[in-house]
Amino acid sequence: MFTVSFKDCKKEFDNPVSVYELAVAVDETLARSVLGAKVDGNVVETGFVVDKDCEIELLTFEHEDGKKILRHTASHVLAQAVKRLYPSARLAIGPAVENGFYYDFDIDTSLSNDDLKKIEDEMKKIIKERLPLVRSELPRAEAVKLMESKGENYKVELINDLPEDAVISFYTQGEFTDLCAGPHAHNTGVVKAFKLLSVTGAYWRGNEKNKMLQRIYGTAFDNKDALKAYIEMTEEAKKRDHNKLGREAEIFTTVDSIGQGLPILLPKGAKMIQILQRFVEDYEAAHGWLLTKTPYMAKSDLYKISGHWDHYKDGMFVMGDESTDKEVFALRPMTCPFQYQAYLSRMRSYRDLPLRYNETSTLFRNEASGEMHGLIRVRQFTISEGHLMCRPDQLADEFRKCLEMTNYMLDVLGLFEDVSYRFSQWDPDNRDKYIGTAEQWDEAQGTMKNILDDLGIDYKIGIGEAAFYGPKLDIQIKNVFGKEDTLVTIQVDQMLAEKFGMEYTDSDGSKKNPYIIHRTSIGCYERTLALLIEKYAGAFPTWLSPTQVQIIPVSERHFEYAEKVRDALINAGIRVETDLRNEKLGYKIREAQLEKVPYMLILGDKEIENNEVSVRSRKNGDLGSTSLDSFITDIVSEIATKAR
């Protein structure tokens, strides 16, 4: 006899039982919607047999792990449908991802969105067949032989890359067998509502040196109403996608001959970045941060001291070959080793600390081609970076101040309400990824946990997400499609100061290494700009708008007055454009509305006679006529307060 502990009850069993049978024992109605379970914390499928005391959480589609099981099964249905329609297609990988799934194929035929309907129809047939998904395991040699016999060279490569002690498992549904770790739903009929969304190119294993495959994206839900709501939400998201809006609004562009991940900021985008940069630098200066300016590149020697050469070289742009060149340089992927040299420029005392260095840093990271996305993930970017050297007794207070500064800036931008927090920790099972001892990591993470808990931060833990030299608080945000990225990072570092020989003389005369806080304030300017485009759908707050006022004279005889109004606005620091085109007034107004300019000033005979302006607000419509001085006073106040 053994005992199974559920959330609300315990049950005893005499013989081994499957997860599905356990679900029936708890609630027959519930059992019909169970997709799997967590047994002592491990996610398993409904066919998993329980034969000893354990704790179980039954998983439905309401659980994140339940969604993954359903969508992973949907990816196998997709793969089976493709193999039926294109027998020579070779399978790569097909995981569940946030909000859906995908599968990569090597197919001689170039698929288009029109082909997705045909694949969907075949998937519906497979779902209707309610094919059981049966798990099996094979020794490595037999697994390789099986995949070779099917011509699945990508699967053979995956098997050969598995650790020696790995369990090599397969799932079979009807005539289709796929290499997979699982878990899966018990049969294909569970996939009740699905939709294929797009087909794109994707390099095998994300490496541009490998073959380009075809990736089919899809999503799946447990009912048609939820699927319909998601599709409608996705269509709305497409309208707000910064990649679309940003180009249409002439904020940025990309050019194939320049390369992926290297966007060109057009005048509007460059102006917005300049506004953000001045906002950040002025605020940081007012709060004790000292501006530095450091080189964009350095010899490999510098990166070897910091550890970037050993732990981050693949993500760097390297110039030269160590086997042949006397000096090898690399573009900087981050600024910390450079700013440390400013600290090392003279001896430091405990009275000098905290010492806060900030920099508007242009950085370079060799991101995979498949990861590029508009302004959100790029290869050259600019970041609001800073490094703070302090004594241990100052660490908690300085960390709090860094977080408060970031939260203030995100609140001003209107992004604060959209963020979440992740406490990114090291993975002790992947020691090669990190420097330092287990004791140092325990100390660093313990220190940071105490700080976060004292501040009352509601965070999730991300194992394996730490930098190679320390834990960090990642402030996460999602784009309009629900993909999560890191917007801001604040990191505690107790290791690099010693590696660089950074010391200060303490009050007792002893030499000590400072603690270091690595931080950004609003993160990467390009990524922040992308999120602002999506947040406001291009209708930016007045203080941030590249054009704040559009002057529209009714006819040519009003041009002289328009020039006078323009000069007065410019003298007040307002960004203004004048529409002097030979077009009808209504057309000019509609154009300004489409460009989402915060204010239009219509100038005709009456306005000239009374020295007034007729004001149209993007937000509040026609505001009527007012004196020019009054309008300037109001808009200057709105800009100064950064009102949204």
Side-chain angles (χ1 to χ4, degrees):
M1 180 174 289
F2 59 93
T3 302
V4 177
S5 301
F6 297 92
K7 183 179 180 180
D8 300 319
C9 65
K10 292 184 178 182
K11 290 189 177 292
E12 294 184 338
F13 298 89
D14 294 322
N15 300 303
V17 288
S18 69
V19 165
Y20 178 76
E21 291 169 326
L22 289 172
V24 171
V26 173
D27 185 333
E28 275 196 59
T29 302
L30 172 67
R32 288 196 288 270
S33 60
V34 168
L35 295 164
K38 275 188 176 179
V39 178
D40 290 335
N42 297 313
V43 180
V44 299
E45 51 212 14
T46 54
F48 182 84
V49 175
V50 176
D51 58 3
K52 60 182 179 181
D53 292 352
C54 61
E55 292 185 357
I56 283 190
E57 179 185 7
L58 297 173
L59 301 175
T60 66
F61 193 77
E62 297 301 313
H63 301 81
E64 198 58 39
D65 288 312
K67 289 182 175 68
K68 290 179 181 178
I69 291 172
L70 177 70
R71 289 167 175 165
H72 195 181
T73 301
S75 79
H76 277 227
V77 174
L78 165 61
Q80 185 177 13
V82 169
K83 289 291 283 186
R84 283 184 178 183
L85 295 170
Y86 308 93
S88 63
R90 291 184 292 279
L91 306 173
I93 57 172
V97 293
E98 190 171 15
N99 296 322
F101 60 90
Y102 70 80
Y103 212 111
D104 290 347
F105 302 95
D106 187 352
I107 310 177
D108 295 333
T109 304
S110 181
L111 299 176
S112 68
N113 287 328
D114 292 339
D115 295 310
L116 298 185
K117 177 65 169 62
K118 182 169 63 173
I119 298 171
E120 281 185 343
D121 289 342
E122 192 62 38
M123 289 177 68
K124 289 174 183 176
K125 294 177 184 177
I126 295 168
I127 291 167
K128 194 173 182 179
E129 292 170 22
R130 297 182 62 83
L131 300 172
L133 280 89
V134 181
R135 178 186 170 95
S136 60
E137 297 175 5
L138 288 175
R140 183 181 300 268
E142 292 182 35
V144 168
K145 185 177 180 181
L146 174 64
M147 290 293 99
E148 284 179 339
S149 70
K150 294 178 176 290
E152 301 292 358
N153 55 299
Y154 298 102
K155 300 294 184 181
V156 171
E157 183 177 329
L158 291 171
I159 293 170
N160 288 331
D161 286 348
L162 289 172
E164 287 298 322
D165 59 348
V167 174
I168 302 173
S169 57
F170 296 86
Y171 282 81
T172 298
Q173 55 200 62
E175 82 288 354
F176 176 77
T177 298
D178 198 1
L179 172 74
C180 186
H184 282 283
H186 55 281
N187 71 60
T188 59
V190 170
V191 185
K192 295 182 175 66
F194 76 96
K195 177 71 176 174
L196 297 185
L197 303 173
S198 63
V199 56
T200 63
Y203 290 108
W204 168 234
R205 292 190 153 182
N207 188 334
E208 61 186 354
K209 295 179 182 178
N210 292 334
K211 185 171 183 178
M212 175 73 78
L213 307 177
Q214 296 186 73
R215 174 173 294 178
I216 298 177
Y217 281 100
T219 191
F221 288 81
D222 61 339
N223 66 79
K224 291 182 179 179
D225 287 342
L227 174 63
K228 180 181 177 183
Y230 175 78
I231 297 301
E232 290 174 351
M233 182 273 291
T234 302
E235 291 303 314
E236 180 61 29
K238 288 178 181 178
K239 298 176 185 177
R240 303 175 76 96
D241 179 11
H242 86 278
N243 227 343
K244 175 178 179 289
L245 280 180
R247 295 171 195 273
E248 292 175 350
E250 298 183 355
I251 292 173
F252 77 98
T253 189
T254 52
V255 181
D256 287 343
S257 58
I258 291 177
Q260 280 188 302
L262 299 169
I264 294 174
L265 290 172
L266 299 172
K268 290 180 181 179
K271 174 55 69 175
M272 294 185 71
I273 294 290
Q274 183 186 58
I275 295 164
L276 290 171
Q277 183 176 323
R278 287 174 175 172
F279 163 55
V280 170
E281 289 184 351
D282 288 348
Y283 190 88
E284 289 176 339
H287 288 78
W289 290 83
L290 305 175
L291 190 64
T292 65
K293 187 71 174 174
T294 57
Y296 286 3
M297 67 178 75
K299 294 193 296 184
S300 59
D301 306 49
L302 182 71
Y303 304 115
K304 288 176 181 176
I305 297 171
S306 65
H308 288 100
W309 200 253
D310 291 332
H311 295 272
Y312 206 83
K313 184 180 176 183
D314 289 344
M316 297 166 67
F317 290 101
V318 178
M319 294 167 284
D321 186 335
E322 286 190 293
S323 64
T324 57
D325 297 325
K326 185 176 181 181
E327 290 184 336
V328 174
F329 287 81
L331 295 172
R332 63 182 183 185
M334 59 278 296
T335 313
C336 45
F338 295 83
Q339 287 197 327
Y340 295 164
Q341 306 311 308
Y343 180 93
L344 291 164
S345 64
R346 66 175 176 83
M347 298 294 293
R348 304 290 176 179
S349 161
Y350 71 97
R351 293 189 181 90
D352 296 325
L353 305 181
L355 185 59
R356 308 178 186 96
Y357 288 139
N358 69 307
E359 184 164 337
T360 302
S361 306
T362 298
L363 304 179
F364 307 85
R365 296 184 184 176
N366 192 10
E367 301 277 6
S369 296
E371 296 296 318
M372 300 297 103
H373 178 58
L375 297 176
I376 284 183
R377 191 167 292 276
V378 291
R379 285 174 169 155
Q380 175 185 310
F381 55 95
T382 303
I383 194 168
S384 56
E385 195 165 16
H387 297 90
L388 185 153
M389 283 60 68
C390 64
R391 305 189 307 265
D393 62 292
Q394 298 169 325
L395 181 66
D397 191 48
E398 291 301 321
F399 189 98
R400 175 184 59 79
K401 289 177 182 177
C402 289
L403 182 57
E404 286 175 349
M405 179 172 68
T406 287
N407 287 344
Y408 166 77
M409 291 185 179
L410 294 181
D411 188 41
V412 169
L413 295 177
L415 298 176
F416 179 67
E417 61 202 47
D418 302 321
V419 303
S420 59
Y421 299 92
R422 182 181 71 196
F423 180 10
S424 295
Q425 303 180 1
W426 80 318
D427 180 359
D429 295 328
N430 189 8
R431 288 294 289 113
D432 292 342
K433 185 179 175 182
Y434 307 95
I435 63 174
T437 64
E439 291 74 20
Q440 287 175 307
W441 276 94
D442 288 344
E443 180 185 359
Q445 291 185 172
T447 299
M448 191 163 175
K449 182 180 186 304
N450 290 336
I451 293 171
L452 296 178
D453 291 345
D454 287 344
L455 292 174
I457 302 299
D458 182 15
Y459 59 82
K460 295 180 180 178
I461 292 176
I463 301 297
E465 299 294 336
F468 67 85
Y469 48 83
K472 54 183 178 167
L473 176 67
D474 287 324
I475 301 180
Q476 304 291 104
I477 194 166
K478 294 180 179 179
N479 67 13
V480 288
F481 295 107
K483 184 181 184 304
E484 186 174 272
D485 282 295
T486 299
L487 181 61
V488 172
T489 292
I490 306 174
Q491 182 174 344
V492 172
D493 173 11
Q494 298 173 242
M495 301 186 194
L496 289 186
E498 183 178 0
K499 291 177 73 69
F500 276 91
M502 299 166 65
E503 296 180 334
Y504 66 92
T505 304
D506 208 354
S507 56
D508 60 3
S510 62
K511 297 288 186 181
K512 293 184 178 177
N513 302 119
Y515 281 15
I516 300 173
I517 298 175
H518 305 240
R519 67 103 188 109
T520 58
S521 47
I522 64 169
C524 164
Y525 284 101
E526 289 84 356
R527 182 174 292 177
T528 300
L529 177 56
L531 293 163
L532 290 171
I533 293 170
E534 296 183 348
K535 173 78 175 182
Y536 296 106
F540 304 108
T542 302
W543 74 274
L544 196 52
S545 294
T547 301
Q548 296 166 322
V549 176
Q550 183 91 314
I551 298 174
I552 304 178
V554 175
S555 66
E556 189 172 345
R557 69 176 181 272
H558 307 117
F559 284 5
E560 185 178 344
Y561 184 58
E563 186 176 342
K564 176 185 173 183
V565 171
R566 183 201 63 194
D567 291 346
L569 293 172
I570 290 173
N571 289 336
I574 298 163
R575 296 183 292 278
V576 58
E577 290 184 3
T578 307
D579 190 342
L580 302 178
R581 293 177 299 168
N582 185 25
E583 299 285 356
K584 292 182 179 180
L585 178 62
Y587 178 82
K588 292 181 179 182
I589 291 173
R590 285 193 297 274
E591 286 282 289
Q593 289 172 333
L594 288 173
E595 292 180 14
K596 301 180 180 178
V597 178
Y599 291 97
M600 287 175 271
L601 300 184
I602 314 301
L603 308 181
D605 293 338
K606 180 185 174 184
E607 285 73 31
I608 293 175
E609 182 181 343
N610 298 323
N611 195 31
E612 292 180 338
V613 291
S614 179
V615 184
R616 285 177 179 263
S617 164
R618 182 185 65 203
K619 184 184 296 185
N620 300 312
D622 190 350
L623 301 180
S625 295
T626 186
S627 70
L628 177 59
D629 288 344
S630 177
F631 173 75
I632 289 176
T633 298
D634 289 344
I635 192 173
V636 166
S637 174
E638 181 180 344
I639 293 167
T641 58
K642 295 181 172 56
R644 290 189 272 122

